[in-house]
Amino acid sequence: MAAKLFYQIVKNFFRILFIIYNRVSVKWEVPLPVSDRYIVAANHCSNLDPVLVGANFPRQLKYLAKDELFRPFFFGRIIRILGAIPVLQEDSKAAAAALKGFLNLLQEGESVILFPEGSRSLDGKLQPLEGGAALISIKSGVPIIPAYVSGTFKAMPSGAVWVKPAKIRLFFGEAVYPPKDIGKSSKEAREELTQTLTKALSDMEEKYGE
């Protein structure tokens, strides 16, 4: 109980801080569908992204983060409270280890956030998506909520150590569901779902991108 209360305090603190410092606005294109668990798949161009999305999503989101992000004590404590789970850098690059980690979290009833581009964008533009998010959704049966972040690249690009007061906008799109007519281990199913997710994020970038 105390842990949940502390999480809510930290979450609301950062949600308000983002509003004041970065004038954050949040838009839901459609209402969040009813589900016991969610996979949030977001574009990624800044270390701010998981904190921003986590602070503005109704459910607590768990995610895997490289252990090096936990070394700065204050930042490490914050992202841990907001749902980050440290993994060794070599494990974070191993698709099988990441897949197992996310599936375990979903099986435990958690909702998760992941970044299907695989790494941070170096120019702020959406990069080609890898198939991990689709595969996790297919194997777990959990819907994907596409999320598009605009402004964090200006506020804190890769290599930056301080957050600039750039305006940030966050958009949540319509849920994407795994195909029901194709086997869960099918390559076609993964490709189909990845294409659907790519279109959802690309459409949001075209509408809301900088």
Side-chain angles (χ1 to χ4, degrees):
M1 186 67 179
K4 289 184 178 180
L5 177 60
F6 190 44
Y7 161 74
Q8 288 296 334
I9 292 172
V10 173
K11 174 180 177 177
N12 289 330
F13 171 79
F14 276 93
R15 184 177 58 82
I16 294 170
L17 181 63
F18 274 123
I19 292 173
I20 295 173
Y21 189 71
N22 292 105
R23 308 182 305 284
V24 166
S25 62
V26 180
K27 177 180 178 180
W28 291 81
E29 293 193 327
V30 296
L32 183 67
V34 177
S35 178
D36 57 344
R37 297 161 297 165
Y38 300 95
I39 298 168
V40 177
N43 64 312
H44 192 26
C45 50
S46 171
N47 283 335
L48 289 176
D49 298 333
V51 179
L52 173 73
V53 178
N56 287 281
F57 195 76
R59 300 274 188 89
Q60 183 175 15
L61 298 174
K62 299 285 188 178
Y63 62 99
L64 307 181
K66 294 181 292 185
D67 61 335
E68 64 186 44
L69 294 178
F70 294 80
R71 291 170 192 164
F73 179 78
F74 179 73
F75 186 74
R77 289 293 297 169
I78 291 302
I79 61 174
R80 191 184 295 272
I81 292 168
L82 290 176
I85 298 172
V87 293
L88 296 177
Q89 187 167 1
E90 53 268 27
D91 289 339
S92 70
K93 294 180 180 179
L99 172 63
K100 182 178 179 181
F102 280 116
L103 287 174
N104 286 342
L105 287 169
L106 290 166
Q107 288 171 1
E108 293 168 1
E110 304 284 358
S111 293
V112 302
I113 178 173
L114 52 83
F115 301 95
E117 292 165 282
S119 60
R120 280 177 291 171
S121 170
L122 298 180
D123 60 4
K125 303 298 183 182
L126 185 68
Q127 306 301 304
L129 305 190
E130 298 178 354
L135 183 58
I136 293 167
S137 176
I138 290 168
K139 285 186 172 293
S140 65
V142 176
I144 301 174
I145 307 297
Y148 183 78
V149 180
S150 174
T152 55
F153 182 75
K154 289 183 178 179
M156 193 180 183
S158 178
V161 296
W162 190 250
V163 181
K164 299 177 182 178
K167 181 174 177 56
I168 295 174
R169 298 181 296 163
L170 173 60
F171 306 90
F172 292 102
E174 185 174 357
V176 176
Y177 293 87
K180 294 182 179 180
D181 57 340
I182 302 178
K184 286 190 175 182
S185 62
S186 167
K187 178 181 178 181
E188 291 79 11
R190 186 171 71 251
E191 292 178 347
E192 176 185 333
L193 190 55
T194 299
Q195 291 174 2
T196 302
L197 180 59
T198 296
K199 185 177 188 309
L201 288 172
S202 296
D203 287 348
M204 284 197 285
E205 180 179 48
E206 185 176 346
K207 290 168 62 178
Y208 308 123
E210 300 175 49

